[in-house]
Amino acid sequence: MTEAGGSADRNGAAHARYAPGTPCWVSLMVHGVTATQEFYSELFGWEFQPGPQQLGPYVRALLDGREVAGIGQLPPDRHLPIAWTPYLASDDVDVSAETARLCGGTIGVGPLDAAEAGRLAIGSDPSGAVFGIWQASAHLGTGLTGVPGTPVWNELVTFETETIAKFYETVFGYEEEPRVSADEDRVVLRVGGRPVAGIRGVGHALPRERGPHWMTYFQVADADAALARVTELGGQVLGAVRSSPFGRMAQVSDPEGARFSLLQPPDGEPA
């Protein structure tokens, strides 16, 4: 679970421009922006400042003075899920959006300019999973990774990987590393030889009420303590902590129902 780009320092990795296809930002659209800010501020230590308002009220979350995520007001006329949405870097969002359409995807928002920050589009892949496309200008994307409170991984949970992986590879130029076994259908998407995102096929185990969706993982220092804090703040724990080669992880939701995962890396290792 590693991302491309940036140089490391004692506060984590500070990122330069992200290579095309790399998840470079995560954003959440909700009904109550103020209450949602309070939840994530208490959980991750985020502070907030205003961001571009093209899609309505929007704030950027800061950790140690660097931007790590966005939270916006859900427009009443746009039927978007209350979910964390990854934005994938592009050198030309118009070309990426058109390629997505030609490959069976749908573009629901944009492409449009976000003031001087950059240019964006929001769409869905052929299975219906929502994702964003970001062409950076002044705003390069997530400014800090590798420390608690920052996004560390994004994984698409869908029915099967073969068809949908071809969509993302065509649109964003990923290299594919299949990991298919008798009990796992998983693909790792790589940019420049480095893993940047995953696709996991779960077949009929996919929750009917959710459908295919992207899942964002946020790094925490202590998974158990973070789960307890989620509950205290009005969120919900959706599953017990489980161990993996990448660390201890669990899925939770915030008070508005947006689901995300918490990941505690192995001791002494960045995620």
Side-chain angles (χ1 to χ4, degrees), residues 142-194:
T142 304
L144 178 68
T145 59
V147 296
T150 61
V152 67
W153 186 249
N154 288 278
E155 185 166 74
L156 173 61
V157 184
T158 188
F159 295 107
E160 53 81 30
T161 63
E162 183 176 3
T163 303
I164 213 68
K166 290 178 181 176
F167 168 83
Y168 286 97
E169 289 161 15
T170 303
V171 176
F172 294 104
Y174 294 120
E175 306 144 14
E176 177 185 336
E177 180 190 333
R179 291 185 180 178
V180 182
S181 65
D183 57 357
E184 183 181 50
D185 177 15
R186 188 164 181 263
V187 167
V188 175
L189 301 175
R190 293 176 172 267
V191 170
R194 300 185 65 183

Side-chain angles (χ1 to χ4, degrees), residues 30-72:
V30 295
H31 296 293
V33 174
T34 300
T36 299
Q37 287 182 65
E38 292 173 356
F39 172 84
Y40 287 100
S41 176
E42 292 292 331
L43 181 61
F44 293 140
W46 290 351
E47 298 177 338
F48 297 91
Q49 67 179 17
Q53 308 292 304
Q54 273 70 13
L55 299 179
Y58 189 82
V59 293
R60 290 179 182 155
L62 305 179
L63 190 64
D64 295 333
R66 285 181 272 183
E67 297 168 341
V68 295
I71 298 173

Side-chain angles (χ1 to χ4, degrees), residues 97-228:
E98 181 59 24
T99 304
R101 287 193 192 98
L102 294 174
C103 292
T106 302
I107 300 299
V109 177
L112 56 84
D113 290 324
E116 75 287 348
R119 190 164 171 78
L120 68 86
I122 302 173
S124 57
D125 64 29
S127 72
V130 175
F131 64 95
I133 307 171
W134 182 251
Q135 178 183 337
S137 185
H139 175 64
L140 299 179
T142 304
L144 178 68
T145 59
V147 296
T150 61
V152 67
W153 186 249
N154 288 278
E155 185 166 74
L156 173 61
V157 184
T158 188
F159 295 107
E160 53 81 30
T161 63
E162 183 176 3
T163 303
I164 213 68
K166 290 178 181 176
F167 168 83
Y168 286 97
E169 289 161 15
T170 303
V171 176
F172 294 104
Y174 294 120
E175 306 144 14
E176 177 185 336
E177 180 190 333
R179 291 185 180 178
V180 182
S181 65
D183 57 357
E184 183 181 50
D185 177 15
R186 188 164 181 263
V187 167
V188 175
L189 301 175
R190 293 176 172 267
V191 170
R194 300 185 65 183
V196 297
I199 302 177
R200 182 161 53 95
V202 297
H204 296 298
L206 191 71
R208 182 173 297 181
E209 71 277 7
R210 294 212 67 201
H213 59 277
W214 279 92
M215 172 65 65
T216 296
Y217 290 72
F218 290 96
Q219 185 169 333
V220 294
D222 184 322
D224 298 295
L227 288 186

